[in-house]
């Protein structure tokens, strides 16, 4: 089986579960460390000719991370494309199992069982908290409706304030975000790299949780560690 992955989460999952199956991955596929495969561009601008030259048996993609015209071009070139949709944690487990089976996994991997167990009963604070979750600045953008990251936070007792917004990633002026007075501002390090010196200063007087974006937005082996790591970051914001 020769697989090209256009999704960092799926790259990590396939590389750990079906060693040797991956022959290509995006420039943004950083896990597992030291992955030695052909690089085929970004998630939004993959080099379709390069992908087709690798003669993949399967290209794995995601309906949010990858653009339909690129996937259509791969299909037109003769590639089989599997497209995942992941908006919730349970959906992540279903899509991971489907993808791994398609990639030739002989059995369900142990890490997937561990991840499901971790999310079966995650540690949740006694009182639910409200949050805003910026994912970009200049302009400011936040999590809106129907997002995987929003479902992750909700399962940890954190309700983000734009969960019912008409858009999935609305642009919201920072003054409005401050005026919403959330219990916590969740600042991931991807897609925008928020840091202690870039982000919290925009929300004076509000607790800010700096979180590893891989635990908030990736669905793969990191899911097993995500509840503990995110809960720790959220607690640290209130110290």
């Amino acid at each position: 089986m020769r697989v090209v992955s256009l999704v960092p989460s799926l790259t990590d999952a396939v590389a750990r579960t079906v060693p040797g199956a991956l022959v290509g991955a995006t420039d943004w596929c950083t896990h597992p460390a030291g992955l030695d495969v052909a690089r085929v561009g970004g998630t939004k601008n993959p080099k379709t000719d390069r992908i087709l030259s690798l003669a993949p048996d399967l290209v794995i993609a995601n309906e949010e991370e990858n653009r339909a015209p690129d996937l259509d071009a791969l299909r037109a070139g003769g590639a089989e494309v599997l497209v995942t949709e992941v908006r919730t944690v349970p959906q992540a487990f279903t899509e991971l199992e489907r993808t791994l089976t398609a990639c030739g996994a002989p059995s369900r991997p142990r890490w997937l069982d561990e991840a499901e167990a971790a999310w079966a009963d995650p540690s949740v604070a006694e009182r639910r908290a409200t949050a805003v979750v910026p994912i970009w600045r200049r302009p400011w953008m936040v999590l809106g409706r129907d997002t995987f990251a929003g479902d992750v936070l909700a399962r940890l007792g954190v309700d983000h304030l734009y969960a019912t917004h008409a858009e999935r990633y609305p642009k919201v002026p920072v003054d409005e975000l401050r005026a919403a007075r959330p219990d916590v501002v969740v600042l991931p390090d991807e897609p925008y790299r928020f840091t202690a010196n870039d982000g919290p200063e925009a929300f004076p007087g509000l607790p800010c949780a700096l979180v590893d974006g891989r635990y908030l937005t990736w669905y793969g082996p990191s899911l097993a560690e995500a509840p503990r790591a995110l809960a720790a970051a959220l607690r640290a914001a209130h110290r």
Side-chain angles (χ1 to χ4, degrees):
M1 175 65 75
R2 295 173 60 81
V3 179
V4 172
S5 173
L6 301 182
V7 186
S9 298
L10 299 179
T11 298
D12 194 16
V14 173
R16 292 172 185 263
T17 307
V18 195
L22 281 174
V23 295
T26 75
D27 300 341
W28 299 106
C29 294
T30 58
H31 288 73
L35 180 65
D36 184 17
V37 298
R39 297 296 172 163
V40 297
T43 58
K44 303 296 186 188
N45 57 345
K47 300 173 182 176
T48 55
D49 289 345
R50 171 68 166 145
I51 294 169
L52 293 172
S53 75
L54 296 171
D57 298 303
L58 183 66
V59 177
I60 52 177
N62 175 263
E63 51 88 28
E64 179 177 45
E65 291 198 54
N66 308 119
R67 302 185 313 144
D70 295 321
L71 304 184
D72 289 342
L74 291 171
R75 294 187 183 99
E80 181 178 349
V81 181
L82 182 155
V83 182
T84 59
E85 179 182 312
V86 178
R87 305 286 180 91
T88 67
V89 172
Q91 196 175 24
F93 296 134
T94 299
E95 291 288 67
L96 281 165
E97 188 161 17
R98 179 170 78 99
T99 301
L100 294 172
T101 297
C103 291
S107 61
R108 181 183 170 92
R110 180 175 178 179
W111 64 259
L112 189 53
D113 290 333
E114 293 172 347
E116 282 207 82
W119 281 100
D121 186 25
S123 176
V124 179
E126 292 183 7
R127 184 180 72 86
R128 296 191 71 84
T130 59
V132 295
V133 189
I135 59 166
W136 203 260
R137 66 184 301 177
R138 307 182 191 94
W140 287 91
M141 298 175 67
V142 299
L143 289 187
R145 65 168 181 83
D146 195 25
T147 65
F148 174 72
D151 188 61
V152 164
L153 290 172
R155 291 170 188 276
L156 296 176
V158 179
D159 301 310
H160 71 92
L161 295 177
Y162 292 87
T164 59
H165 196 281
E167 299 177 23
R168 296 186 68 210
Y169 301 102
K171 297 176 183 178
V172 183
V174 70
D175 288 348
E176 181 179 325
L177 298 180
R178 287 193 290 254
R181 302 302 299 175
D183 295 320
V184 62
V185 180
V186 178
L187 297 170
D189 62 5
E190 60 175 71
Y192 184 91
R193 187 174 180 79
F194 288 106
T195 68
N197 299 315
D198 185 357
E201 81 290 344
F203 302 95
L206 293 175
C208 291
L210 293 165
V211 304
D212 186 329
R214 192 163 65 97
Y215 293 131
L216 183 63
T217 63
W218 285 38
Y219 41 91
S222 58
L223 277 170
E225 306 163 18
R228 175 193 54 77
L230 291 172
L234 291 165
R235 287 194 301 270
H238 294 278
R239 291 174 185 166

